[in-house]
Amino acid sequence: MTGKTRGRGIAEGSAFMPLNACELEIDLFCHGLRVPEDVSLDGARGVSRTRAGLGSGLELAIPAGSRLKREIWVNAPVVEHFARLSPYRLAGGPAGYAIVDDRDASQYSVRLPLEPSWYPRLTSREVPMHRIGVLQGTYLAIYANPTCAFWSYSPPVNCKFCTTGQNVGPNESAVKTIQDVVETCWAAKNESGVTFVHLNGGFQGSRGLEFITPYVRAIKRQVGLLVGVQMSPEREFSGYDALIDAGVDHLSFCLELLDPQWFARICPGKARVHGQALYFSAMAHCINRMPYGAVSGEIIAGIEPVAKTLEAIDRITAMGAFPTVCIFRPTVGADMEEWPTPSYSEMRTVMEHVYQSCRRHWLPIGAAPNIEVSLVVNPDETALLAERTIGFYAYEAYRRFARVAAAAVFRRRMYPAA
Ligand code: SF4
């Protein structure tokens, strides 16, 4: 149960049932959140438009219940058109916030994480650190490479949901040196307790992996964080081998959509330059070289038919990767800005399937320490949606064991090597 204090939540098809923390997270992604002018956000993390533009919301942490002793982090859409029509409204103030569902006046207590004190600090090149990286949940997100090259085609062949081409430069530093990144990682580790930094880079021709590898090496040697890299796939797989040798802990591949026609329509650059097969073969190469559960396949739910999303989840888990599923957000400024948001009931079905599919393949989801991603429903959060069966309890026991067994390994990998 969440911090719901009274009344009843409304879930499509199951009216009057209170929402648990994961269900509320899904519904917030689908509906957004209204923030009335008289609600003070003093001290809270600002709304930042970075990376694919998905970080355009208000960061919230929803208590998942005293038994679970965890919070579910959500980057709730607040600036998009659809959020103005949301039944959800933020209430309260810095002394204590709640989300009110105006359909039935039910309330859920939430926490607004504070803006890190290191955000305005300057790197030695005099760049404010929040223009190098931002926290998204409990991890540090950095768009390290130059702007994704799909934006410089004429006409552009960018993914239609993306706004990276508008954000890199105006909202974050277009150039991020290794020293900028190392100094920002240090501040985030020391002052915000970050354990994981995610380096994202879009499409960089055949040079993206080569560009990012020295960043990974420097972070591993000088800072000691878990490092993830998300980049368009490259045909020369030796680039992945170099990255793995540099110490990368996680690699993710943004397939986005499984249906070939939807893929070509929404991701014209990816369809023209890569083709879907390359995503699977690059993923397979990395799965073979990395520990089980270290690779993920990222997809967007809420655009193609749900059956295809479920199929994509099954394909990814059958390979030995875990699925990262973004709920489609029609972000301001994106080509798909006017598209409708997905329905709660379909997205709940998708997330429930994430859990079942990970369970079927005994993926050790949630084993890494303190990685709460606010932009997506984390695979391990979907346990809150699962039916309580013997299989559920066996998998949960396995996940607990995996967490304990992996703790020493992660501790070692978070120790600076220099
Ligand atoms: S590959 Fe697509 S989603 Fe990624 S940065 Fe480029 S345009 Fe955006």
Side-chain angles (χ1 to χ4, degrees):
M1 291 291 291
T2 65
K4 182 177 186 299
T5 52
R6 73 179 176 84
R8 55 208 172 125
I10 295 178
E12 284 169 43
S14 56
F16 312 135
M17 291 294 290
L19 303 182
N20 69 34
C22 184
E23 290 170 327
L24 180 60
E25 175 186 31
I26 295 169
D27 214 16
L28 284 169
F29 279 132
C30 294
H31 283 112
L33 175 70
R34 287 177 288 121
V35 182
E37 277 179 13
D38 60 347
V39 174
S40 164
L41 298 179
D42 261 7
R45 283 187 200 171
V47 172
S48 47
R49 297 287 314 284
T50 50
R51 309 180 88 207
L54 288 174
S56 55
L58 183 68
E59 296 268 296
L60 303 169
I62 310 169
S66 51
R67 199 174 55 80
L68 289 177
K69 294 195 183 85
R70 71 174 290 184
E71 293 177 318
I72 303 281
W73 287 70
V74 196
N75 183 279
V78 291
V79 297
E80 287 77 11
H81 304 306
F82 68 92
R84 288 187 214 135
L85 305 172
S86 173
Y88 293 111
R89 167 172 58 84
L90 188 68
Y97 290 96
I99 289 179
V100 180
D101 183 342
D102 279 334
R103 290 171 292 193
D104 66 349
S106 58
Q107 294 190 21
Y108 301 86
S109 57
V110 292
R111 185 173 68 81
L112 266 58
L114 296 178
E115 179 140 312
S117 55
W118 51 266
Y119 264 19
R121 197 173 305 152
L122 302 181
T123 66
S124 47
R125 209 169 53 91
E126 306 220 324
V127 182
M129 288 185 175
H130 68 87
R131 287 179 59 81
I132 301 298
V134 292
L135 298 186
Q136 291 179 334
T138 61
Y139 80 101
L140 178 65
I142 298 180
Y143 188 98
N145 291 67
T147 307
C148 169
F150 287 148
W151 290 85
S152 48
Y153 278 56
S154 183
V157 289
N158 58 285
C159 304
K160 304 291 183 199
F161 50 79
C162 178
T163 58
T164 292
Q166 301 161 17
N167 297 329
V168 178
N171 294 324
E172 57 180 293
S173 182
V175 176
K176 298 169 181 102
T177 64
I178 292 178
Q179 194 57 27
D180 286 333
V181 167
V182 164
E183 290 170 10
T184 306
C185 285
W186 257 120
K189 179 179 179 176
N190 286 342
E191 297 173 40
S192 298
V194 160
T195 55
F196 177 64
V197 56
H198 197 223
L199 306 176
N200 180 279
F203 173 55
Q204 304 293 329
S206 57
R207 310 292 288 273
L209 298 176
E210 188 186 334
F211 179 91
I212 205 68
T213 300
Y215 286 78
V216 173
R217 197 175 291 119
I219 297 168
K220 295 302 292 183
R221 285 190 180 161
Q222 297 177 41
V223 189
L225 283 175
L226 300 175
V227 182
V229 169
Q230 184 178 86
M231 200 92 54
S232 288
E234 294 183 13
R235 292 181 197 283
E236 188 50 71
F237 291 170
S238 58
Y240 294 109
D241 299 339
L243 206 46
I244 294 165
D245 293 343
V248 76
D249 299 280
H250 165 66
L251 287 168
S252 57
F253 294 86
C254 293
L255 174 68
E256 320 291 11
L257 301 152
L258 186 64
D259 182 278
Q261 285 176 353
W262 277 102
F263 183 69
R265 180 177 170 196
I266 304 297
C267 306
K270 291 185 178 199
R272 191 194 302 177
V273 176
H274 304 128
Q276 287 176 307
L278 182 60
Y279 285 81
F280 288 109
S281 52
M283 217 188 308
H285 177 83
C286 296
I287 289 167
N288 283 335
R289 286 222 47 201
M290 295 186 78
Y292 193 54
V295 175
S296 71
E298 191 159 315
I299 51 172
I300 297 198
I303 297 176
E304 65 184 340
V306 168
K308 278 289 166 193
T309 306
L310 304 188
E311 196 183 325
I313 291 167
D314 288 341
R315 254 185 98 169
I316 290 166
T317 55
M319 292 176 73
F322 67 87
T324 310
V325 185
C326 298
I327 292 180
F328 167 59
R329 181 183 304 197
T331 317
V332 175
D335 295 333
M336 296 175 77
E337 176 177 351
E338 302 295 338
W339 281 49
T341 52
S343 86
Y344 168 81
S345 59
E346 285 194 344
M347 293 305 101
R348 195 190 188 288
T349 301
V350 167
M351 297 306 169
E352 209 177 330
H353 193 78
V354 166
Y355 186 83
Q356 301 303 347
S357 201
C358 289
R359 196 186 102 189
R360 202 172 311 126
H361 297 282
W362 296 92
L363 282 158
I365 51 175
N370 187 37
I371 305 179
E372 305 287 350
V373 183
S374 58
L375 291 175
V376 300
V377 177
N378 294 291
D380 59 319
E381 292 166 1
T382 60
L384 286 170
L385 309 175
E387 207 183 317
R388 275 23 181 188
T389 59
I390 291 174
F392 168 85
Y393 290 112
Y395 182 47
E396 287 303 297
Y398 160 76
R399 292 211 302 119
R400 266 195 302 280
F401 171 76
R403 232 181 353 257
V404 173
V409 177
F410 283 123
R411 254 198 315 279
R412 207 168 52 242
R413 293 190 71 93
M414 288 191 289
Y415 200 76

